[in-house]
Each structure stands twice: as C-alpha cells, then as structure tokens.
Amino acid sequence: MNGLPEKLTRNWLREQYLKKTANPEQVVTEIIERAKATADMNIWIVPPDMDLIRPYLERLAGLDIKNAPLWGIPFAIKDNIDLEGIKTTAGCPDYTYLPSKSAAVVKRLIDAGAIPVGKTNLDQFATGLVGTRSLFGETHNALKEELISGGSSAGSAVAVAKGQAAFALGTDTAGSGRVPAALNGIYGWKPSCGAWPLSGVVPACASIDCVTVFCHSLADCLAVDQAVRGQEPGDPWSKDYPVPSVRKPAYIYLPEEEPEFYGPFAKEYEQAWYKAVGRMTHIFPEIKRIDTALFAKAAAILYGGPWIAERWADLHHFVEAHPGSVLPVTEKILRSGADYDAASLFQAIHELQSIKAQIRTILNEGVLVMPTCGGTWTREQVRQDPIRTNSDMGRYTNHCNLLDLCAAAVPAEDAADKLPFGITFFAQAKNEDLICGASELLIK
C-alpha cells in the first residue's frame, strides 16, 4: 500500500483501520515485501508469508474492531515461543519441533485480534546478548549493519525497528528483552516475572524467564501487556499481578559510582549517559545516589554461579544426544552448568535471598536508572572474542530477574548518528506502575 510509514505503531494502524484508509491485508503485503528486501539481515527464521498469515487475516471478519484492542496489528514471535503449526527451532535446526498449539501469550494476542507474521532469529537457546549466536545467521543491527543487533531476542527487535511488525515478542532471562531494544532505538518492556505466562516457551532458566515485548512506544507496550497479562491454568510460573497504571515514583535512584563503558563507542556512550542524567536531574527533583554493588553482586550469580545449571538441566539430554548440533560457544556455556552441585546452588539461593531483602529496603517506592548497555560491538569483534563481549553486554541487565524486578528499556538521546542509546528503569515486581510513571515523565 502507498503511505505505510517506516515505523509501524498500533495507534497509527488502528486509526487507519477505523477510517478505512487501510486494511490489514495491505499492511501484511507491504511487510512481506520489506522482509524480502532485508533477507540478508537474518531477521527471520520463518519469514512473513501470506500462506502463514492468511488464516489470521480471515478470522478478523468475525471480530469487532471496537472490542478487539489489537485488531489487525501485525506482530513477530521470537522462535523460542510456539505458534501453532509453525516450527519452533530456538535457533537450532536439529531441535526443531512442530507445536500443536500456540504459547499462551500468542493465543491471547490472537484472541485480541493481533496477526502473527513470522518467527524471528535469536541467539541459540536464548543464550547470549549479542544476536550472533545462531545457525540461521548473525542478525544485523537495524541502523548500522556492521554492529550487533543485541540478543538473544535479535530478530524481534530488528523486525520492529525495520517496520516489519508493529510489535514483537521476545524473552528475557539476563537482558534479552532490553539490550536489543537499546541497540535498535526502540522500547523494551519486561514485566514482572510470572505476570505473562510461560507455557509454550522453550525454557532458558524457567525460574527467572520472562516473555517481553518490543515496540515504538511505551503505550504500545502497555497495550500488549494488557492483552496477555494474567495467570494461566497449568502454568506453574504464572502469577496474578494487576495491570500496571501510571504512578510517579517517590525517588529516582542513580548509581553512586560512575558506570563503566566499553567497546568502540565507549566515549559516545559515556557522553550520552551524562546527557541522560542531566535531563533526569531536571525532570526528577527527587533524585538520590545509591551504591549499586549489591546489584552487581546479584548479576555475577547468573553466569558465575549455579543458575547456569538450570539451563543445562533443561537441555543436556538434547546436547548430548546431538553432537555438533549446538554452536561451540553455546555448548561451552551450557556445559559449564554441569560443574555445580546442590550445595553450591543452595549457598547461592541463600546469598541471593539476603541481597533481595536489602534491595527491597533500598528501592521501596523508588525506581533505579542504569544505562541499558554500556556500549556495543561490531559483529566482527564479537566473533573474535565471543565470551567477553557478550559478558559486557549484560553488565547492567543480569541482575534484574534474579532480584525479581520489572524493567522498561527506554530510548534516550542518541550517542551518535545511527547509534542509539537507552536507559532502563527498574522497580520491584509489585511496582510496575512506577516504571510506567518514570518512563512517561521522561518521554514528555
């Protein structure tokens, strides 16, 4: 169709549909063409295709747009989340299976009128924050193709940034729903763990996994949240959290220490951070500085402690039965989980519980702000040093789910031309409305 904007949003599409100046089939047709034109960016594992999408277009005739909040809105699905009748690979061809039903979050979105358009590329088994660990190719950054896209929800973020979906589902264990948002200049919403059901999602660390969404606005993120939030019968991880409202936090907390920056654009990122701090200081008079050593201590437990054993517990049968099927860097990380015993796990649980109690007191009714990422890398640099570069990307993200925090990754002023910079608001699980309030104030 003529006049489809480069960036697709729920509000714009809904307005066009209501005015009958566009229809979903026209939008989907354009998305298919956009996906074909960027095939070398490795965004998709199952790309947009009319045969896949047609049944979802046809079912719209039976839905009243006024009662279906996501009517005709195209969305992408990370390929570790099931879509009925479409293969799930988790970034590993030999792992492929054909699900008989959609994941709970996908079903709820379809029931709200949304249209799944394809399955997106990811770091294999959601193990990585760079977007280069896939047998389906390295996902390119949406703005500078030589840079990483971020991961593990690589294709989902880039699909949104490139106008091939209005929103996209990702997952987040260590930052996979936030890092790609920052690197591609979009929003990443990570609800409280359990607020969105996990049934039909290939586990990374099931006890701290979370389904997330990428959008061009906080409002779009929250529209998706409202459609999918709520307990799911038979899902042992789902919890009953209320739909977040918008509430101003009592305090904004900034790190007392100077954040560390890394990569070829470290100086640009550092300058962007201080610009963001200056803006926040102007917007939020109730700013306090806190020592974030506890957050860093919790973050170190994720990959430097026994939680990696949870990944190994879920995947070791497949890895051992399919030699050569898993990327060497991914297999090395997964196998490290076999090095921990039950005693070390309980020691870590007890240490983490103490940290969580302290952080509950620190945050209370406040919101912590950190850079989403302290830098980025070229894809070539990641190839040369895959472990260290990936580890750097999680410096300000790894603590989140272990500490049972919610988070919103929000674009800030760009670090340089075609080099997005983002910040993340963190709050306790019960305080999602505070990160909404902080994000809304920053956007204004």
Side-chain angles (χ1 to χ4, degrees), residues 10 12 29 39 64 131 250 257 293 299 329:
R10 169 187 175 269
W12 186 88
T29 299
D64 182 350
E257 68 283 358
V329 64

Side-chain angles (χ1 to χ4, degrees), residues 34-48 76-79 118-122 136-142 149 153-165:
R34 290 180 179 186
K36 289 178 181 176
T38 57
D40 61 348
M41 293 181 68
N42 303 315
I43 298 169
W44 300 94
I45 290 176
V46 179
I77 304 168
K78 184 177 180 179
D79 197 27
K119 305 291 294 294
T120 55
N121 203 359
L122 69 154
F136 295 93
E138 299 174 353
T139 301
H140 300 191
N141 185 279
S149 60
S153 309
S156 288
V158 178
V160 171
K162 298 295 286 184
Q164 297 174 28

Side-chain angles (χ1 to χ4, degrees), residues 80-142:
N80 61 343
I81 304 172
D82 289 346
L83 174 63
E84 180 182 352
I86 303 298
K87 67 179 183 180
T88 297
T89 73
C92 180
D94 288 343
Y95 185 79
T96 301
Y97 65 90
L98 199 67
S100 60
K101 62 180 182 179
S102 294
V105 287
V106 172
K107 183 180 185 304
R108 292 178 185 187
L109 290 168
I110 292 169
D111 288 346
I115 303 172
V117 296
K119 305 291 294 294
T120 55
N121 203 359
L122 69 154
D123 285 316
Q124 194 174 70
F125 296 117
T127 304
L129 289 170
V130 286
T132 64
R133 299 175 175 179
S134 173
L135 288 169
F136 295 93
E138 299 174 353
T139 301
H140 300 191
N141 185 279

Side-chain angles (χ1 to χ4, degrees), residues 185-348:
I186 58 177
Y187 288 78
W189 173 256
K190 195 214 79 67
S192 301
C193 291
W196 295 11
L198 283 173
S199 58
V201 178
V202 178
C205 291
S207 64
I208 55 171
D209 286 344
C210 187
V211 180
T212 65
V213 69
F214 300 100
C215 299
H216 284 292
S217 71
L218 179 66
D220 278 10
C221 290
L222 295 179
V224 173
D225 182 285
Q226 190 164 0
V228 301
R229 179 173 292 256
Q231 283 187 291
E232 176 72 12
D235 182 341
W237 303 109
S238 66
K239 301 175 183 177
D240 187 20
Y241 284 108
V243 173
S245 56
V246 175
R247 182 162 60 98
K248 182 181 176 182
Y251 294 101
I252 294 291
Y253 296 109
L254 292 172
E256 186 176 71
E257 68 283 358
E258 303 299 329
E260 295 182 7
F261 298 91
Y262 50 81
F265 303 101
K267 180 58 68 175
E268 290 89 340
Y269 266 64
E270 182 178 27
Q271 292 172 349
W273 166 247
Y274 288 116
K275 286 181 182 177
V277 168
R279 184 154 180 254
M280 284 185 284
T281 303
H282 177 73
I283 295 170
F284 305 109
E286 304 87 359
I287 282 186
K288 292 186 175 184
R289 295 277 180 169
I290 61 171
D291 183 351
T292 57
L294 278 174
F295 296 88
K297 191 174 182 180
I301 293 174
L302 187 61
Y303 283 106
W307 254 267
I308 192 66
E310 188 172 8
R311 292 181 187 257
W312 184 239
D314 279 322
L315 291 168
H316 76 278
H317 291 299
F318 175 81
V319 174
E320 291 176 335
H322 297 82
S325 294
V326 181
L327 289 166
V329 64
T330 306
E331 183 168 346
K332 180 179 179 181
I333 293 165
L334 293 174
R335 284 189 178 278
S336 70
D339 298 336
Y340 295 95
D341 58 17
S344 62
L345 173 60
F346 280 104
Q347 287 170 356

